[in-house]
């Protein structure tokens, strides 16, 4: 990757540090000393340590390497570090977290594709053959991706789906993996996981945007009430069939939906399982804007790239001002919903619905 014309950002620098840890081949002492020296210069500036004694061979070699950089500015040292790491291919190639171009792709996700480009971190559900159903691994990976996005240098974070669905919601096979403590333990573990998962959305510090590329079901719909904007293709539908599944609302929707769309409209969705078209969801305030599917990606990403050029601190502070008032309430609602669901998961109504789906007797 040719980065000579670019200035390495803090994020590039952090990526390079991670890549060094993933090197398959030892790059040798000379390179390691150079990396050490550039790292120290980039983070602390010119060498400020007393010179080690002549018999302290390792620390003296390190000191010499750092001291040799003289007054090289921190920014230049950061760039040189990134360049040096990227020159360590091909040993790095197989473990690189950085793709060619400026689009940085994070590795280490099985169920997501996470990229960061143009001030936007995109978290894409990536189980298209399963309609992006959220299995236990995906719950954990989404939380990990959100935590990383909250700290990276992006301005906004986007969730979207790969393939024809946005997401078909909770993977119903999650309920088949019963631990030694039995179904009670399973229900308890699931409630703990759900509470932590939804908590990450409540606390997310940057604008969170959903790019709803296709149908959305269950928890992938309810969470939208915690997003800051929701853009939908006109192919998208919004469906929360909780009663059909013997379950009850989650994702804070018992609180956010009545506020967003009026109590009666929320009842139609959350209790009676009415499926909304994108246009209906927009008219009810759940969706911000609907686009024709043929131009959806182009129009939405153009808009998001413009948003991502806004001053980062103002954007972040404004999100905090808006969320602050509701945060405590949302956490309380989340906890209550999870408690209620824990009981629902042990009910015959829920067990039968899951068994029916898994034995292919019923679909939504
Ligand atoms: C820690 C736990 C937290 C729980 C939180 C509570 C969350 C609640 C919810 O999200 S409730 C909503 C649950 N979702 C559903 O009930 C959807 C079930 N799926 C369907 O009804 C259909 O699959 C469909 C309408 C989404 C799509 O139908 P169709 O277009 O005909 O495709 P297929 O059914 O053939 O699906 C392809 C493939 O994907 C599998 N799959 C799809 N969705 C799910 C799912 N939610 N869970 C598990 N598996 C799903 C489907 O079985 C097919 O697999 P196969 O090819 O047969 O191996």
């Amino acid at each position: 990757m040719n980065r000579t014309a670019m200035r390495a950002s803090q994020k590039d620098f952090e990526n390079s540090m991670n890549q060094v840890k993933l090197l398959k081949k030892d790059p040798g002492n000379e390179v390691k000393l150079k990396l050490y020296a550039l790292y120290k210069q980039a983070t602390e500036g010119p060498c400020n340590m007393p010179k080690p004694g002549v018999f302290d061979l390792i620390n003296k070699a390190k000191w010499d390497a750092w001291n040799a950089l003289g007054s090289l500015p921190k920014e230049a040292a950061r760039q040189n570090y990134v360049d040096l790491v990227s020159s360590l291919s091909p040993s790095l190639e197989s473990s690189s977290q950085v793709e060619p171009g400026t689009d940085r792709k994070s590795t280490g996700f099985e169920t997501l594709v996470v990229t960061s480009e143009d001030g936007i971190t995109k978290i894409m559900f990536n189980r298209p053959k399963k309609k992006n159903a959220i299995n236990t691994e995906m719950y954990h990976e989404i939380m990990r991706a959100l935590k990383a996005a909250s700290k990276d240098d992006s301005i906004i974070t986007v969730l979207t789906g790969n393939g024809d669905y946005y997401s078909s919601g909770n993977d119903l096979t999650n309920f088949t993996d019963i631990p030694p403590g039995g179904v009670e333990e399973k229900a308890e573990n699931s409630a703990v996981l759900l509470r932590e998962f939804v908590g990450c959305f409540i606390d997310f510090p940057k604008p969170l945007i959903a790019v709803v590329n296709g149908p959305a079901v269950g928890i992938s719909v309810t969470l939208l009430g915690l997003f800051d904007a929701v853009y939908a293709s006109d192919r998208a539908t919004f469906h929360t069939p909780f009663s059909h599944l013997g379950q009850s609302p989650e994702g804070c929707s018992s609180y956010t939906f009545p506020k967003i769309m009026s109590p009666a409209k929320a009842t139609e969705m959350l209790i009676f399982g009415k499926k909304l078209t994108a246009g209906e969801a927009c008219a009810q305030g759940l969706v911000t804007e609907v686009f024709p599917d043929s131009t959806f990606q182009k129009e939405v990403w153009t808009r998001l790239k413009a948003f991502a050029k806004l001053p980062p601190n103002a954007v972040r502070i404004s999100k905090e001002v808006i969320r602050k008032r509701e945060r405590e309430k949302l956490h309380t609602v989340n906890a209550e919903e999870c408690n209620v669901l824990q009981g629902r998961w042990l009910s015959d109504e829920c067990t039968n619905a899951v068994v029916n789906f898994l034995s292919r007797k019923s679909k939504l």
Side-chain angles (χ1 to χ4, degrees):
M1 177 174 181
N2 180 9
R3 290 176 171 272
T4 46
M6 292 166 48
R7 275 195 356 205
S9 66
Q10 180 62 24
K11 177 76 186 170
D12 293 325
F13 184 54
E14 283 163 16
N15 275 337
S16 296
M17 286 193 279
N18 288 332
Q19 286 174 28
V20 167
K21 290 183 206 141
L22 298 171
L23 278 175
K24 293 230 157 104
K25 258 190 356 211
D26 187 331
N29 286 342
E30 200 182 329
V31 172
K32 283 198 276 194
L33 278 174
K34 246 187 207 159
L35 285 171
Y36 166 81
L38 288 168
Y39 170 81
K40 295 292 275 184
Q41 192 86 7
T43 54
E44 293 177 33
C47 182
N48 54 9
M49 309 264 292
K51 187 172 182 175
V54 281
F55 297 113
D56 189 356
L57 294 178
I58 294 175
N59 283 325
K60 179 156 181 313
K62 286 173 149 181
W63 187 91
D64 284 341
W66 184 8
N67 193 46
L69 295 178
S71 57
L72 183 74
K74 279 183 172 180
E75 205 174 309
R78 195 164 73 177
Q79 179 69 62
N80 292 354
Y81 182 95
V82 170
D83 287 342
L84 177 57
V85 173
S86 93
S87 74
L88 294 177
S89 52
S91 56
L92 195 60
E93 222 48 26
S94 57
S95 56
S96 175
Q97 295 190 338
V98 181
E99 282 201 330
T102 54
D103 184 357
R104 294 186 300 254
K105 180 174 174 184
S106 302
T107 54
F109 293 103
E110 289 297 320
T111 65
L112 306 174
V113 177
V114 181
T115 48
S116 213
E117 189 185 11
D118 297 328
I120 305 172
T121 291
K122 177 170 88 172
I123 301 173
M124 184 164 70
F125 308 133
N126 192 31
R127 299 184 72 217
K129 288 187 182 152
K130 298 286 181 187
K131 310 293 182 192
N132 296 324
I134 308 175
N135 61 10
T136 304
E137 186 177 21
M138 205 196 277
Y139 282 108
H140 286 287
E141 290 195 346
I142 294 170
M143 289 193 282
R144 183 149 61 82
L146 285 175
K147 280 174 191 153
S150 71
K151 293 191 207 112
D152 70 15
D153 57 7
S154 63
I155 314 300
I156 59 177
T157 299
V158 172
L159 263 72
T160 191
N162 185 17
D164 61 342
Y165 260 66
Y166 175 68
S167 167
S168 62
N170 186 45
D171 188 316
L172 295 173
T173 65
N174 285 341
F175 291 118
T176 58
D177 173 24
I178 305 299
V183 286
E184 282 82 7
E185 187 183 330
K186 178 75 198 173
E188 192 182 336
N189 293 346
S190 301
V192 169
L193 173 58
L194 180 62
R195 184 170 169 182
E196 192 190 349
F197 178 73
V198 174
C200 288
F201 286 81
I202 298 172
D203 289 332
F204 194 71
K206 300 177 183 179
L208 195 55
I209 318 282
V211 171
V212 186
N213 54 298
V217 185
I219 189 163
S220 75
V221 176
T222 55
L223 284 174
L224 297 175
L226 296 172
F227 280 61
D228 302 291
V230 178
Y231 298 117
S233 152
D234 59 8
R235 282 186 52 251
T237 53
F238 300 82
H239 193 190
T240 50
F242 296 129
S243 301
H244 300 72
L245 293 165
Q247 297 184 37
S248 50
E250 28 61 352
C252 296
S253 58
S254 63
Y255 177 66
T256 57
F257 277 32
K259 271 180 75 147
I260 291 170
M261 59 179 67
S262 90
K265 294 288 184 194
T267 297
E268 279 198 318
M269 274 196 91
L270 296 175
I271 303 183
F272 301 134
K274 181 178 177 193
K275 190 195 280 187
L276 301 190
T277 63
E280 288 167 340
C282 190
Q284 293 181 16
L286 182 62
V287 165
T288 313
E289 195 169 334
V290 183
F291 298 81
D293 194 55
S294 54
T295 55
F296 177 57
Q297 296 290 344
K298 190 160 174 275
E299 288 194 63
V300 166
W301 287 103
T302 304
R303 184 175 302 190
L304 295 178
K305 280 176 192 171
F307 290 168
K309 291 201 175 80
L310 291 166
N313 292 334
V315 167
R316 211 180 165 104
I317 287 167
S318 298
K319 162 101 193 210
E320 176 58 15
V321 167
I322 295 168
R323 179 52 50 96
K324 202 164 107 187
R325 228 164 274 125
E326 292 282 27
R327 186 175 290 117
E328 205 181 314
K329 174 75 183 171
L330 290 168
H331 280 298
T332 306
V333 170
N334 181 26
E336 282 171 11
E337 289 178 346
C338 292
N339 276 343
V340 173
L341 258 177
Q342 185 174 336
R344 284 281 84 212
W345 288 326
L346 297 173
S347 70
D348 287 346
E349 288 176 349
C350 179
T351 309
N352 293 339
V354 172
V355 169
N356 282 342
F357 174 75
L358 296 177
S359 59
R360 299 293 181 268
K361 277 194 210 140
S362 81
K363 263 185 203 178
L364 294 172

